[in-house]
Amino acid sequence: SLSFARVVGGSAVAPEAGCCPNEGVRCHEDDVMDSFIEEHSRCYDFKDPSVEDGREDRYAAIFASLSAELVRMAWSSSRGGRSSRARTLRVLQCLRLMTRDQDLQL
């Protein structure tokens, strides 16, 4: 599955030097999720206008990536693995924002 940062575009926030030792990708994704939450905090419709040009719906891909990440976290947790609480909350907050759109409700 694609990472959240790659689906979003990843250019929203550059990773900070040394922000998460040994976890630069996770840290960058956390920064991208934080930016996504801030930028979409008042959004209720997640419609990608570029879909009309035959491209994949960006928001559908983002939603799928977040859903897959949540499943991965739950599966890992059931096997004794751990995800950081902050990361889990970011994923849930992004999903909560996106499910304001009636077409993305589970």
Side-chain angles (χ1 to χ4, degrees):
S1 71
L2 289 173
S3 73
F4 179 81
R6 177 170 279 178
V7 172
V8 170
S11 59
V13 178
E16 297 175 20
C19 64
C20 301
N22 302 321
E23 292 190 15
V25 172
R26 288 279 184 220
C27 181
H28 178 63
E29 286 191 354
D30 291 347
D31 290 342
V32 172
M33 278 190 264
D34 288 342
S35 292
F36 182 86
I37 291 164
E38 185 175 331
E39 290 171 19
H40 294 83
S41 65
R42 296 181 184 263
C43 186
Y44 288 82
D45 288 320
F46 290 89
K47 307 288 186 262
D48 188 353
S50 68
V51 171
E52 295 172 5
D53 297 334
R55 289 188 247 163
E56 181 183 12
D57 185 341
R58 173 178 176 249
Y59 289 113
I62 291 169
F63 189 77
S65 175
L66 288 165
S67 298
E69 179 65 10
L70 187 61
V71 169
R72 187 201 62 75
M73 289 174 159
W75 186 83
S76 176
S77 176
S78 72
R79 302 271 188 243
R82 291 184 46 138
S83 292
S84 80
R85 179 176 170 84
R87 181 171 181 80
T88 302
L89 291 174
R90 280 184 182 96
V91 169
L92 289 171
Q93 188 168 8
C94 288
L95 285 168
R96 181 188 63 81
L97 287 174
M98 294 190 80
T99 56
R100 291 175 177 174
D101 186 323
Q102 188 174 16
D103 293 337
L104 295 174
Q105 291 179 0
L106 301 173

